[in-house]
Amino acid sequence: MESDCRIPMSCLRPRVLVLHILFWGLVSLRVFGAAFLGEEKSTVTKTVTMPCWQVEEFVVASDCTLCTAFQTKTLIACIQTGYVERINCTKSNKDEYKSCRSAVMEEHLFWKFEGAMLGLTVFFALVVIGRQRSLDRQASEKVRRQIESI
C-alpha cells in the first residue's frame, strides 16, 4: 500500500530539517535585511555637486591629451582613462576637466585585443591538433588490440 505523502522520509530526519530551517532562515534574513537597509539608505540624502558639463552645454577648449604626472595626482578626471580635455561651460563660464578617450589609446587597445585573440586562436588550435592526434593514437591502438585478440 502506497502512501499519499509526497515528502520523502529522508527529508523528515531532524538533521535535514534543521539544515533546511537554517538555510531558509539565512536566505530570508539576507532578503529582508537588504530590503530594510535599502529603505534606510534611501532616506539619507547626500549632496553631490555635479560637474557643469553634465548639467549644461559646453565647448571643448583643448583636445584630448595625455595627463601629466601632476594632473594624474590632482585631477579626478585623469584617474579613469589617463586622458583629459579642458572644457568651458557656456552658462556658468567655468573651466573644468573632463575624462576622454584618446584615438591613439583606443587603437593601442584594439591591437592588444587582436593580438590576444590571435594568440588564443593559435594556442587552442594546437590543443585541438594535439587532442585529435591523441584520440587517433588511442583508436588505432584499440583496433590493433582487437585484431591481435582474434
Side-chain angles (χ1 to χ4, degrees):
M1 180 172 193
E2 289 187 28
S3 170
D4 289 335
C5 179
R6 293 181 182 248
I7 300 173
M9 295 309 280
S10 63
C11 291
L12 296 177
R13 292 187 182 144
R15 189 178 334 159
V16 174
L17 285 174
V18 169
L19 288 174
H20 275 282
I21 291 170
L22 280 173
F23 174 74
W24 290 112
L26 287 173
V27 168
S28 301
L29 194 68
R30 293 274 300 185
V31 170
F32 293 124
F36 177 71
L37 291 176
E39 289 173 8
E40 206 172 282
K41 285 180 183 174
S42 64
T43 58
V44 178
T45 57
K46 295 179 182 177
T47 55
V48 177
T49 57
M50 294 182 67
C52 70
W53 54 268
Q54 285 184 340
V55 181
E56 57 187 84
E57 292 183 19
F58 61 89
V59 176
V60 177
S62 68
D63 289 333
C64 193
T65 57
L66 183 64
C67 293
T68 62
F70 177 73
Q71 286 177 330
T72 305
K73 292 178 184 176
T74 57
L75 295 176
I76 296 171
C78 282
I79 295 172
Q80 291 176 343
T81 60
Y83 288 85
V84 71
E85 62 186 357
R86 192 169 55 93
I87 59 169
N88 186 355
C89 296
T90 53
K91 289 183 182 176
S92 60
N93 203 21
K94 286 169 51 176
D95 278 345
E96 288 193 13
Y97 288 96
K98 178 181 174 227
S99 182
C100 60
R101 299 187 72 72
S102 167
V104 174
M105 178 185 71
E106 290 292 325
E107 185 178 359
H108 178 72
L109 288 175
F110 170 77
W111 287 114
K112 235 171 137 175
F113 174 77
E114 286 293 316
M117 291 302 107
L118 183 64
L120 283 173
T121 301
V122 169
F123 172 74
F124 284 114
L126 292 174
V127 168
V128 166
I129 291 170
R131 178 72 176 145
Q132 188 64 46
R133 286 184 181 171
S134 170
L135 290 174
D136 288 344
R137 262 194 310 273
Q138 288 176 2
S140 60
E141 183 67 27
K142 185 176 181 181
V143 169
R144 187 188 60 78
R145 275 185 273 136
Q146 286 177 348
I147 291 173
E148 286 179 355
S149 66
I150 294 178

